[in-house]
Amino acid sequence: MSESALPLKGQVAVVTGASRGIGRSIAMKLASEGADLVLSARGVEGVEAVAAAVREECPDCRVLPLGCDVSDWDSVSALVDRTLEEFDRLDFLVNNAGITRDNLVLRMKQEEWDAVIATNLTGVFNTCRLVARQMLRQRSGRIINITSVVGLLGNAGQVNYAASKGGIISLSYSLAREMASRGVLVNAVAPGFIETDMTAAMSDEAQEAMADSIPLSRIGKPEEISSVVAFLCSPGASYITGEVIRVDGGLATGC
Ligand code: NAP
């Protein structure tokens, strides 16, 4: 694509949880479409490695790797301040950082509940609250929150994760209504079962059983999520807000 044809050229994206898996793929995809990037995760070496890969593939892309814990208000505040210092604008926020701490409810420890809610749900609140002022001032912006089909279907052993992901969906609906009149669009993407470190911990048998339950009979790839995120950032998605797009091979059909 010639540089002038890049759809996201001149726009700035903040991606959380960008050091691996789906977040890494989102970073590479948005860079390939011309966006400048702020890449964050708690481990700064991970985002520095992704930033190096972005620079290699997209030499014109400006990319800033930063350590940030989304569950910590001051850490997110520093991330947003640094972004605005460097780029003076913020067009896309992709809330991708997430963790699991699975257990059946009777065995679930308070720390397992708290950690998942703090990262997955409070983290999204923190980033949205801190970027909202800038986007409202610009009268433009797109927020894309990565939820999960588990937030729609529930899942045994994941009451904490399901609650956090269901919460992201309701938060996205509400924020879409709050920000629409100022040109800021808020949507969620709900992946099914995607091949990343988060799912690699499952046994081969469990992965096969999961694949068998998916109408498309296979696990998804991170690139199948990042292409949808890039679409939601693109001019073609200008009339979509308050939507949850399932990308799950048909797993949650009917929800
Ligand atoms: P992953 O490979 O485990 O990567 C998670 C990313 O989040 C890492 O970059 C990690 O880096 C970062 N992170 C974790 N806690 C953080 C915190 N407190 N603050 C900032 N960054 C943090 O996960 P993934 O599979 O790519 O999943 C990405 C998103 O998709 C998650 O929200 C997940 O719930 C969702 N999702 C995944 C699947 C799937 O099947 N893989 C399905 C549905 C939804 P650090 O550890 O260095 O912080």
Side-chain angles (χ1 to χ4, degrees), residues 16-23 40-44 68-71 95-100 119-120 146-149 161 165 190-199:
T16 70
S19 59
R20 55 180 189 263
I22 293 170
S40 72
R42 287 168 305 177
V44 76
C68 172
D69 180 342
V70 293
S71 68
N95 276 311
N96 167 75
I99 59 169
T100 52
T119 293
N120 297 9
I146 306 299
T147 175
S148 166
V149 290
Y161 185 75
K165 293 299 186 179
F193 190 59
I194 309 298
E195 202 180 302
T196 69
D197 288 356
M198 189 177 269
T199 46

Side-chain angles (χ1 to χ4, degrees), residues 37-76:
L37 298 176
V38 178
L39 304 180
S40 72
R42 287 168 305 177
V44 76
E45 312 77 29
V47 275
E48 277 168 354
V50 175
V54 166
R55 289 188 192 107
E56 178 119 359
E57 282 201 18
C58 309
D60 293 327
C61 175
R62 289 171 66 198
V63 51
L64 178 64
L66 293 175
C68 172
D69 180 342
V70 293
S71 68
D72 181 284
W73 174 264
D74 291 338
S75 181
V76 180

